[in-house]
Amino acid sequence: MNPAKQKILVTGVSSFVGCHLARGFSRKSEWKVLPAGSKNPEDYEAHRARRIEFGGKENNWTVLNIKDEVGVKQFIHKFRPDIWVHHAGHATNYAGLSYDIIEGHDTNVAPVRYIFKNLAENGCRGVIVTGSSLEYSNTDKPCLESDSCLPDTPYGQSKLKETLTALEMSDQFGIPTRIARLFIPFGPLDDPNKLIHYVLEHLKNRAMVDLSPCRQKRDFIYIDDVVEAYCLLIKDLDRGGAEIFNICSGQAISVEHVVNWITEGVGAQKSLLNFDARAMREGEQMISYGNNDKAREILGWKPGEVREGISKLINYKN
């Protein structure tokens, strides 16, 4: 494939990762990027509207409701994307048991079948699907792409069904496909309620930070490394077939370490950290991390150090 001639459609650009993918593709190559979302830019709340502005000019924005089968068919026939980066999905309450599994199926799983069918009919060269580390079983070992998956959470179950459906459709329609199983990406424009941003904003304002014991270990990955991995996955579609890749640091880092790095990075007092003020979520895993050997060996991808990513976020200026 010649990247200079490829039209890349990115769904879910109002999301944190989606806006960085759209921006990164535009900046890193001569690809023609089509950012898409379910509504017009002015109909999103302010935080998501900023992401849309960050991810691409509004006059390039295209409205696509992936739950509308007829609309998807018309959209694909009109734009005929060479590469479809499928990032849109239902992730509200993704970490808890209150996740809406019906909405998850209707948004994450059901559209995959008719999306692939219509892409095949319109000459699409390949698909990248955003997966999740929550597809894996609860284990204290590094997760491998070849592992059998028995996810504990409704969201993880929904994303696993999406992955399996995409692999099935890839085989049925002969469209090269890559699943990018993301662990915990972080960076500018992330959800302000997530741990890293919550801690960073409070400490910048020298406010107390209420925390759990923070003994959990997680696999964090800076957003720029994620974007680079997706760029390499697009190029890897030349090999054909369908494969899963972990996009992760490959390290189980304690949340306490991350919080302390942020504290040091902004020059705040550690006395502002109120550990044990919050309880851990019921059933929360103590350790979750991935093995990234496959992405390193096949893609030639090398993520940066997590602490370096924290520094980049602290010093980020748009």
Side-chain angles (χ1 to χ4, degrees):
M1 299 181 193
N2 183 349
K5 296 182 179 179
Q6 292 190 67
K7 187 185 301 180
I8 302 178
L9 185 285
V10 185
T11 67
V13 174
S14 69
S15 70
F16 161 54
V17 173
C19 74
H20 281 274
L21 291 177
R23 185 181 180 94
F25 294 161
S26 298
R27 286 187 161 193
K28 195 175 180 69
S29 68
E30 296 178 1
W31 294 331
K32 179 177 175 57
V33 178
L34 297 173
S38 60
K39 300 182 288 187
N40 290 310
E42 62 271 17
D43 294 329
Y44 285 94
E45 64 272 24
H47 193 63
R48 288 185 175 269
R50 285 194 296 272
R51 290 172 175 166
I52 292 170
E53 183 179 357
F54 176 86
K57 295 180 180 178
E58 291 189 9
N59 59 1
N60 292 330
W61 183 257
T62 52
V63 177
L64 172 65
N65 178 2
I66 61 171
K67 294 167 64 176
D68 177 4
E69 183 173 354
V70 174
V72 166
K73 180 177 181 178
Q74 294 171 343
F75 182 94
I76 292 173
H77 180 72
K78 177 181 178 180
F79 290 100
R80 296 182 181 272
D82 296 296
I83 304 295
W84 182 283
V85 179
H86 194 62
H87 184 70
H90 176 64
T92 304
N93 298 323
Y94 71 92
L97 298 179
S98 61
Y99 178 79
D100 188 338
I101 193 68
I102 295 176
E103 181 64 25
H105 177 272
D106 292 346
T107 305
N108 301 345
V109 184
V112 172
R113 295 186 179 277
Y114 52 79
I115 286 173
F116 269 83
K117 178 178 182 295
N118 285 284
L119 289 175
E121 292 173 354
N122 288 274
C124 182
R125 297 177 180 178
V127 175
I128 310 291
V129 177
T130 296
S132 169
S133 62
L134 292 178
E135 296 177 51
Y136 287 112
S137 305
N138 189 337
T139 176
D140 59 2
K141 297 178 181 179
C143 298
L144 292 164
E145 293 91 342
S146 57
D147 288 348
S148 297
C149 296
L150 294 171
D152 288 342
T153 66
Y155 175 73
Q157 293 161 12
S158 176
K159 292 298 290 182
L160 179 58
K161 289 179 182 177
E162 179 183 26
T163 288
L164 295 176
T165 303
L167 295 176
E168 178 189 348
M169 294 299 98
S170 172
D171 181 64
Q172 180 175 334
F173 293 105
I175 299 179
T177 300
R178 299 292 181 267
I179 310 296
R181 274 193 180 147
L182 296 185
F183 277 67
I184 304 181
F186 69 96
L189 294 177
D190 199 355
D191 185 336
N193 295 314
K194 283 188 176 180
L195 173 79
I196 289 177
H197 275 264
Y198 166 76
V199 172
L200 178 57
E201 291 306 311
H202 275 66
L203 292 181
K204 279 182 175 179
N205 294 315
R206 300 302 188 258
M208 289 293 296
V209 185
D210 289 341
L211 299 161
S212 76
C214 291
R215 300 189 186 95
Q216 314 95 306
K217 292 184 176 181
R218 295 290 183 267
D219 192 324
F220 297 94
I221 180 82
Y222 190 61
I223 190 62
D224 288 354
D225 295 321
V226 172
V227 172
E228 179 62 16
Y230 273 72
C231 290
L232 293 169
L233 286 170
I234 289 173
K235 295 176 181 178
D236 189 59
L237 291 167
D238 282 340
R239 292 194 300 115
E243 295 190 35
I244 300 169
F245 285 86
N246 286 337
I247 306 303
C248 60
S249 72
Q251 302 176 70
I253 299 176
S254 76
V255 173
E256 183 177 5
H257 282 334
V258 172
V259 170
N260 285 328
W261 292 342
I262 297 171
T263 307
E264 293 169 11
V266 300
Q269 296 294 319
K270 290 190 176 181
S271 58
L272 293 173
L273 304 177
N274 190 12
F275 291 107
D276 295 307
R278 296 184 176 188
M280 289 180 58
R281 291 192 301 269
E282 184 178 355
E284 185 174 359
Q285 290 179 240
M286 287 305 297
I287 300 178
S288 175
Y289 70 115
N291 179 299
N292 62 19
D293 287 349
K294 183 176 179 180
R296 288 176 178 269
E297 293 168 5
I298 294 179
L299 304 178
W301 177 68
K302 184 179 179 181
E305 293 296 322
V306 176
R307 187 165 189 173
E308 180 183 344
I310 294 292
S311 295
K312 288 180 179 179
L313 176 59
I314 290 171
N315 298 310
Y316 176 80
K317 293 181 181 179
N318 187 7

